[in-house]
Each structure stands twice: as C-alpha cells, then as structure tokens.
Amino acid sequence: MLFNLRWFAVIAVLLPTGAWSEEALPPLFTQDPHRNDMGFFDLHLCNWPERPAFFKALFSTQQFAQVAKMEVLTPDGHSVGELSLDNFRSVHPAGKPEKRVFLNDLAVPSGSKDGWYSIRVTDKAGIVHTATDYVVMGRLLPATKLLPNTEDDIPLPQQLQWDSVSGAKHYQVFVRDEFANKLVFESKLLDKPQVDIPAEVLQADGYYSWVVHARDVNENVILGDFNSGSLSEKAFFSVRGE
C-alpha cells in the first residue's frame, strides 16, 4: 500500500490543474501504466506546420524480435491504427541489449476525447501485452517570432530566441546546415525561450535553418514523455563571411 500511496503523491504534484477528474484515473497504480512486459508506450498529440493535428505513437522494446503486432486503441476500444514493424530507430545502450523504438504518425479519429489510450502488443506466441497513456486533447500552439530569421548576412549569432508558448514548459531547438543538408545542433530540453549556440556549431558564409519543438511536460507519471507538442515554422539565416 505504501508503494501505491507514493504514486498518488507524485500524481497530485504533476497533474495539470483543471484538466483531470478523479474518475479518469485508475483506483491504484502498482506500476508505471506506460510499461508492460514487452516495453514502454507513449502517445503524443502533435501540431506540425501545414498539416492537421496527429498522434505520434511510440513503443520501445528490447524484445522486438518477439513482437508480432502493435495496435493503438482509443479509450472506448476503437482502433487508432497499427505501428509498423519496419519503422523504427535502433538504440544501443552501453552494456545493454539493442532496443528498437517503433514510431508512427496516426490520424486523430474524429471526436477524440481526453482519456486513457492503450496499446495492445501481441507477441509471436499470441499473448497480448497492454500499456496505457493518458492523452489530453489540447493542441499546443507553435513557437513564433524566431530570431534570427533574416535574408541578410549576419555575424555569427551566439543565441537563438523566440516567443514563449502558452502551456509549454519545455523547448528543444534543432539547427540544420542547409548547404550540407545535415543537422548540426540539437539542444537539451530548455525551460526558457532561448538557447546559446556553441561557437563551433556555425561557420562563416554558412546558411542555416532552425525550428523549435515545444512540449507541455517532461516524463510525467500519467502523460508519459510528454502529452502535447508543436513544431514551429522554419526560420533561416545566413552568416557573414570573414
């Protein structure tokens, strides 16, 4: 019972005010609801430029060779869609077995509501393993007023800035070298709408694009890694030659 009470103490701190009701929660947690015997499940509500809001479904597992099927379900048991066994990222932690992170974008069904969405992972022996994630259907707006964002050549910028996003608690910045067509900088999670750029990342005469990913929470007991995220439009800048 003490274990369960500790879960409730954490939940009471992390739940957003006004977004929840007691009947939405299971009576007691005895383990992380995002995990089952096969791995970890998370479902994010995403707001990307020039496309409707969508779910990004994630399931990570070291037992990927035993997975036969992964299906995401709404709180009332209707299918949202399946995760493809061919769409994954391999992770190789030091001293640990390989893990595969399966990722898929799934359309948000019409009339979707807040609630416990689930994944049914069927292994090759036909056993079904279920994990859940609570999703709040609130769309997070994208970051705006990204600076620098200019056609003029500018000195090497030391900092990138943008307007804060209502409801966002964390941000992450991605910078691409447009000439080389590669990612050159990925920030850690930020709690302010700005980031310092290491001097070695940018080069004179370079041309760069950058975007801001905003997210509402981080590693929440109920909402998982995060619940709702948005991606900004691209900003561009060119660096003055030496």
Side-chain angles (χ1 to χ4, degrees):
M1 179 60 71
L2 288 177
F3 181 83
N4 292 327
L5 290 177
R6 284 198 294 271
W7 270 104
F8 273 120
V10 175
I11 292 166
V13 173
L14 294 180
L15 291 182
T17 303
W20 305 80
S21 60
E22 290 185 7
E23 60 268 21
L25 303 176
L28 289 175
F29 280 120
T30 57
Q31 64 180 20
D32 184 344
H34 304 93
R35 299 185 183 277
N36 58 29
D37 293 338
M38 296 290 286
F40 175 85
F41 168 59
D42 206 5
L43 190 68
H44 310 148
L45 181 63
C46 297
N47 183 10
W48 263 223
E50 300 179 357
R51 62 180 293 186
F54 64 97
F55 287 135
K56 186 173 288 292
L58 174 155
F59 188 73
S60 62
T61 178
Q62 293 176 338
Q63 302 179 62
F64 52 86
Q66 301 304 316
V67 175
K69 181 180 178 181
M70 297 168 286
E71 184 177 21
V72 176
L73 304 174
T74 65
D76 56 4
H78 292 99
S79 178
V80 177
E82 294 185 17
L83 275 67
S84 170
L85 292 170
D86 297 324
N87 191 15
F88 62 85
R89 208 170 51 223
S90 290
V91 181
H92 300 269
K96 295 183 179 180
E98 177 189 357
K99 177 188 292 184
R100 287 187 180 178
V101 181
F102 296 94
L103 284 166
N104 271 99
D105 294 352
L106 302 174
V108 177
S110 177
S112 292
K113 299 178 181 179
D114 298 0
W116 288 97
Y117 289 71
S118 61
I119 190 167
R120 290 166 53 93
V121 180
T122 306
D123 65 26
K124 291 183 178 178
I127 300 172
V128 175
H129 309 263
T130 301
T132 59
D133 184 20
Y134 198 94
V135 176
V136 179
M137 296 299 297
R139 194 168 179 180
L140 196 67
L141 293 176
T144 58
K145 298 184 180 178
L146 280 63
L147 296 174
N149 186 15
T150 176
E151 294 297 325
D152 298 329
D153 291 345
I154 62 173
L156 282 171
Q158 297 179 339
Q159 188 178 81
L160 307 179
Q161 301 177 333
W162 57 96
D163 277 5
S164 59
V165 175
S166 177
K169 301 298 183 183
H170 304 278
Y171 305 95
Q172 195 168 16
V173 171
F174 301 87
V175 180
R176 293 189 66 84
D177 183 324
E178 288 292 310
F179 289 148
N181 191 28
K182 68 177 183 179
L183 184 71
V184 293
F185 177 73
E186 177 179 335
S187 78
K188 64 180 182 180
L189 284 184
L190 310 163
D191 57 9
K192 294 181 180 179
Q194 62 187 47
V195 63
D196 295 329
I197 302 297
E200 66 274 12
V201 168
L202 306 178
Q203 305 295 324
D205 286 322
Y207 182 52
Y208 300 93
S209 67
W210 62 287
V211 294
V212 177
H213 180 248
R215 56 195 284 182
D216 52 358
V217 295
N218 180 46
E219 297 184 355
N220 185 291
V221 173
I222 302 298
L223 301 177
D225 286 347
F226 66 94
N227 175 74
S228 185
S230 64
L231 194 68
S232 71
E233 297 277 359
K234 280 186 179 181
F236 297 86
F237 62 89
S238 56
V239 177
R240 187 178 301 158
E242 295 179 339

